[in-house]
Amino acid sequence: MKTLAKLPVTIVTGFLGSGKTTLLRHMLDNAQGRRIAVIVNEFGELGIDGEILKQCSIGCTEEEASGRVYELANGCLCCTVQEEFFPVMRELVARRGDLDHILIETSGLALPKPLVQAFQWPEIRSACTVDAVITVVDSPAVAAGTFAAFPDQVDAQRKLDPNLDHESPLHELFADQLASADLVILNKADLISPEDLARVRLEVAEELPPAVKVIEASSGRLPLDVLIGLGAGSEEHIDSRHSHHDHHHEGEDDHDHDAFDSISIELPQADESLLLDALTQLVVKHGILRVKGFAAIPNKPMRLLIQGVGTRFDKHFDRQWGADEARTTRLVLIGQELDAVQLEAQLRAALSV
């Protein structure tokens, strides 16, 4: 009887809007015949990232794409790992003779350490190994001090009290995603100056074990051989990686992710300029961290993909609307202490819909 080799798994983590989905699409577009299964973990009710990945040009039909993209909804993998992750992995393990690799994209609010520890479970450990944890960093956001509550004060007082760096739950989460990394990608490196990029590299290095490699990228464009085949065996050493949340998930009910809200809004067709202006105003007024979704633009046969981090928005028409598909605008807003009713009302008022 043939003994199957362990199936390598790459876990892609990173903060909201860092470019994880773009990186995965690039990996799938350049799979070079590799048979890759994808697990997408959404934060929010709409499967936005899963839909984006299903549009990748890997030469498969829509039915085949749906069969290889497994979406785990309702929060981060560390919270749902026992309820949803294990059955999906068990199905993939049963098919591992048909697969070459598994890619897992965590939500932007996920803690990677508990997920990696799940690969220590006997039924998974015997069949799979974590080839690497890749943490994707939004370089412009880090350069702007997004991950500290008071960036200027923290920077001035860092040497006096390093703990001030972690006053913000966002920075704490960012640090924990780095603590589990086997490879760090400083993404969007082309959008900041060389001086700012050097500062980002130094800040990231403070949170990393010395052996972890840090590389730069633009739009996640890197050779596939740089991203897979690392053979890190992360599950073997993850317990020695310190994180700020090591005391969680031990019978406690509190969870830092409760500080984040995910609001889903559905709207009719909307003028592109009006919609982007309205979203920018909402971001500024309510401190929204992340916007993602699809918009229906009047008289346009294609769907507009929108992804925003702070007031920076990327957009492009990603595909034709289906013949039987309702042309509606669907958005997810992620932030802290968000009021869904108020946000939708303000957005509708701005759009006059």
Side-chain angles (χ1 to χ4, degrees), residues 134-179:
I134 299 177
T135 299
V136 185
V137 172
D138 184 335
S139 299
V142 177
T146 300
F147 305 108
F150 306 100
D152 295 336
Q153 296 177 26
V154 169
D155 188 57
Q157 299 180 32
R158 180 182 299 177
K159 292 182 180 179
L160 296 177
D161 186 356
N163 291 326
L164 287 177
D165 276 342
H166 305 295
E167 284 189 349
S168 165
L170 298 183
H171 190 282
E172 203 167 272
L173 174 59
F174 175 64
D176 282 357
Q177 291 178 340
L178 288 173

Side-chain angles (χ1 to χ4, degrees), residues 5-23:
K6 286 189 177 184
L7 186 61
V9 179
T10 298
I11 297 171
V12 179
T13 188
F15 199 68
L16 300 164
S18 59
K20 300 183 301 299
T21 302
T22 302
L23 175 69

Side-chain angles (χ1 to χ4, degrees), residues 259-280:
F260 300 95
D261 298 316
S262 177
I263 305 300
S264 300
I265 297 177
E266 187 163 333
L267 302 165
Q269 298 186 65
D271 177 82
E272 181 179 339
S273 297
L274 284 178
L275 178 60
L276 291 173
D277 287 345
L279 288 172
T280 300

Side-chain angles (χ1 to χ4, degrees), residues 91-294:
E91 180 178 346
L92 292 178
V93 165
R95 296 175 51 192
R96 78 181 192 270
D98 301 322
L99 298 172
D100 297 313
H101 208 93
I102 297 174
L103 296 178
I104 299 177
E105 178 193 353
T106 71
S107 90
L109 302 177
L111 299 169
K113 185 172 181 177
L115 173 59
V116 178
Q117 289 172 322
F119 283 83
Q120 298 171 348
W121 297 349
E123 192 169 342
I124 298 180
R125 184 171 188 161
S126 63
C128 299
T129 183
V130 180
D131 184 61
V133 176
I134 299 177
T135 299
V136 185
V137 172
D138 184 335
S139 299
V142 177
T146 300
F147 305 108
F150 306 100
D152 295 336
Q153 296 177 26
V154 169
D155 188 57
Q157 299 180 32
R158 180 182 299 177
K159 292 182 180 179
L160 296 177
D161 186 356
N163 291 326
L164 287 177
D165 276 342
H166 305 295
E167 284 189 349
S168 165
L170 298 183
H171 190 282
E172 203 167 272
L173 174 59
F174 175 64
D176 282 357
Q177 291 178 340
L178 288 173
S180 299
D182 300 300
L183 174 68
V184 174
I185 298 174
L186 302 184
N187 203 24
K188 309 179 186 178
D190 56 319
L191 300 182
I192 58 176
S193 68
E195 293 78 17
D196 284 342
L197 187 59
R199 285 196 300 106
V200 170
R201 182 179 283 272
L202 285 174
E203 183 171 348
V204 165
E206 292 177 1
E207 307 288 352
L208 292 174
V212 175
K213 186 176 182 181
V214 180
I215 57 178
E216 301 166 7
S218 301
S219 300
R221 291 190 295 269
L222 290 165
L224 196 60
D225 290 342
V226 173
L227 302 170
I228 67 174
L230 277 66
S234 310
E235 69 277 11
E236 301 290 344
H237 54 75
I238 191 64
D239 292 338
S240 65
R241 300 283 190 95
H242 169 73
S243 79
H244 298 284
H245 298 83
D246 285 342
H247 63 285
H248 289 297
H249 308 288
E250 296 177 1
E252 299 181 13
D253 293 328
D254 61 323
H255 195 301
D256 279 3
H257 299 355
D258 292 342
F260 300 95
D261 298 316
S262 177
I263 305 300
S264 300
I265 297 177
E266 187 163 333
L267 302 165
Q269 298 186 65
D271 177 82
E272 181 179 339
S273 297
L274 284 178
L275 178 60
L276 291 173
D277 287 345
L279 288 172
T280 300
Q281 292 175 25
L282 284 189
V283 166
V284 173
K285 185 174 182 179
H286 298 280
I288 294 169
L289 300 169
R290 181 81 163 96
V291 177
K292 59 183 178 178
F294 305 102

